[in-house]
């Protein structure tokens, strides 16, 4: 019940923030960034309280499908909120916040418990960080597709439809690399925490999982190096992001254990 008491007002603030920004985009109300961002931040704080009381409890982490989805949506929301204080990306909140509200309410109402009693607390954190990293990279891949489409539309002088409501191209590019940096931090932390649990790669059927994950990490590390050494951006960044995410997806679904966790069979 305490979880639902936090989830309901959090969802309400998420929806209010998204609706208020939609009124601005549709021209029905003047812009009020302070109100939009403040409401979203209150929602994120309440959402964090929910995660602390319902997902991260004691020595166990609840790996229920909607609980993990709720954590992912919170991390992405927080990234956009921090970015929005410095960049004009408010319109992206219109799509993200309602999804965060729906996932949060689904998690609080489903009341599922998947604690993974058979794994250590450290290994549970490894799995959680890996899921978060892969999710961030997947969203970064979607962002890279939008960036590519926006770049092509601008080159062809098509300024209507999707491109009209997206943030400026340079802002979208900066946001993409912020996502990649966040994903790299999470994935590196997952590697570090998971290393003590690896005893025999072959016996534990981890060779393909580790190989694809390391290749994905190297692809993104190369992209970040190219960004700050050679100024890679736009289509080049989009291609490298999609390639790196592809390797991580192969690693993710190559691990039977993680797939079972995602399906709630842990």
């Amino acid at each position: 019940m305490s979880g639902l008491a936090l989830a309901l007002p959090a969802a309400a603030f998420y929806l209010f923030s998204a609706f208020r920004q939609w009124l601005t985009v549709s021209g029905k109300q003047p812009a009020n960034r302070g109100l939009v961002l403040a409401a979203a931040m209150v929602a994120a704080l309440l959402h964090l309280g929910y995660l602390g009381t319902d997902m991260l409890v004691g020595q166990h982490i609840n790996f229920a499908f909607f609980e993990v989805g709720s954590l992912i949506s919170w991390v992405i929301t927080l990234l956009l909120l921090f970015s929005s204080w410095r960049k004009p990306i408010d319109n992206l909140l219109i799509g993200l916040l309602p999804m965060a509200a729906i996932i949060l309410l689904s998690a609080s109402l489903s009341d599922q418990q998947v604690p993974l009693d058979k794994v250590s607390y450290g290994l549970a954190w490894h799995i959680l960080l890996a899921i978060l990293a892969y999710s961030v990279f997947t969203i970064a891949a979607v962002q890279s597709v939008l960036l590519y489409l926006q770049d092509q539309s601008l080159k062809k002088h098509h300024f209507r439809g999707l491109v009209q409501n997206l943030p400026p191209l340079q802002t979208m590019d900066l946001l993409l690399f912020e996502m990649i940096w966040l994903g790299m931090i999470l994935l590196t932390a997952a590697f570090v925490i998971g290393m003590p649990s690896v005893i025999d790669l072959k016996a534990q059927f981890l060779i393909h999982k580790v190989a694809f994950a390391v290749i994905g990490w190297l692809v993104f590390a190369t992209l970040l190096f190219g960004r700050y050494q050679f100024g890679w951006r736009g289509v080049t960044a989009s291609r490298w992001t999609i390639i790196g995410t592809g390797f991580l997806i192969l690693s993710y679904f190559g691990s039977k254990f993680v797939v079972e966790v995602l399906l709630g069979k842990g």
Side-chain angles (χ1 to χ4, degrees):
M1 183 60 70
S2 61
L4 186 60
L6 290 168
L8 282 174
F13 275 106
Y14 276 143
L15 293 174
F16 170 78
S17 179
F19 179 68
R20 182 61 184 81
Q21 184 59 27
W22 176 80
L23 290 176
T24 299
V25 172
S26 61
K28 296 179 180 180
Q29 290 279 347
N32 192 335
R33 293 192 78 233
L35 179 61
V36 170
L37 297 180
M41 187 60 72
V42 170
L45 290 173
L46 291 168
H47 193 160
L48 176 61
Y50 168 83
L51 292 171
T53 59
D54 222 67
M55 185 180 183
L56 308 175
V57 182
Q59 293 298 309
H60 297 289
I61 300 173
N62 185 4
F63 277 89
F65 180 81
F66 284 116
E67 295 290 343
V68 175
S70 177
L71 178 62
I72 292 170
S73 67
W74 179 78
V75 170
I76 300 302
T77 298
L78 205 63
L79 173 63
L80 286 188
L81 282 176
F82 280 127
S83 298
S84 64
W85 288 108
R86 297 176 288 108
K87 293 184 283 293
I89 60 172
D90 305 13
N91 290 352
L92 298 179
L93 299 176
I94 297 174
L96 174 68
L97 297 185
M99 286 192 291
I102 292 171
I103 296 172
L104 176 57
L105 288 176
S106 299
S108 62
L109 293 172
S110 64
D111 199 28
Q112 256 189 316
Q113 294 294 323
V114 185
L116 297 188
D117 295 323
K118 296 181 181 179
V119 303
S120 66
Y121 193 60
L123 184 56
W125 270 104
H126 161 73
I127 296 170
L128 185 62
L129 288 171
I131 291 174
L132 281 173
Y134 291 6
S135 300
V136 169
F137 280 126
T138 300
I139 295 171
V142 175
Q143 170 78 357
S144 71
V145 171
L146 290 175
L147 185 63
Y148 173 81
L149 294 175
Q150 188 177 17
D151 181 74
Q152 294 301 305
S153 296
L154 291 174
K155 287 180 179 178
K156 296 176 181 178
H157 304 288
H158 294 164
F159 302 111
R160 295 185 177 181
L162 178 65
V163 175
Q164 185 179 12
N165 293 316
L166 286 175
L169 187 64
Q170 185 177 5
T171 300
M172 292 285 283
D173 184 71
L174 290 171
L175 182 60
L176 172 63
F177 278 92
E178 287 180 358
M179 290 181 181
I180 292 173
W181 270 113
L182 176 61
M184 284 291 282
I185 292 170
L186 291 170
L187 185 58
T188 303
F191 282 164
V192 172
I193 294 176
M195 281 180 186
S197 300
V198 177
I199 300 172
D200 188 330
L201 286 175
K202 188 174 182 180
Q204 293 175 280
F205 305 103
L206 294 176
I207 293 179
H208 58 286
K209 172 180 169 58
V210 173
F212 283 131
V214 170
I215 293 173
W217 189 94
L218 289 173
V219 168
F220 282 112
T222 302
L223 172 56
L224 291 175
F225 176 79
R227 164 73 168 189
Y228 293 100
Q229 191 69 26
F230 307 113
W232 290 357
R233 65 185 72 243
V235 175
T236 301
S238 297
R239 289 172 179 168
W240 279 82
T241 302
I242 292 172
I243 292 171
T245 304
F247 279 112
L248 293 180
I249 289 174
L250 287 173
S251 167
Y252 188 83
F253 288 104
S255 171
K256 180 182 177 183
F257 179 70
V258 175
V259 172
E260 289 179 346
V261 166
L262 195 64
L263 295 175
K265 298 179 181 178

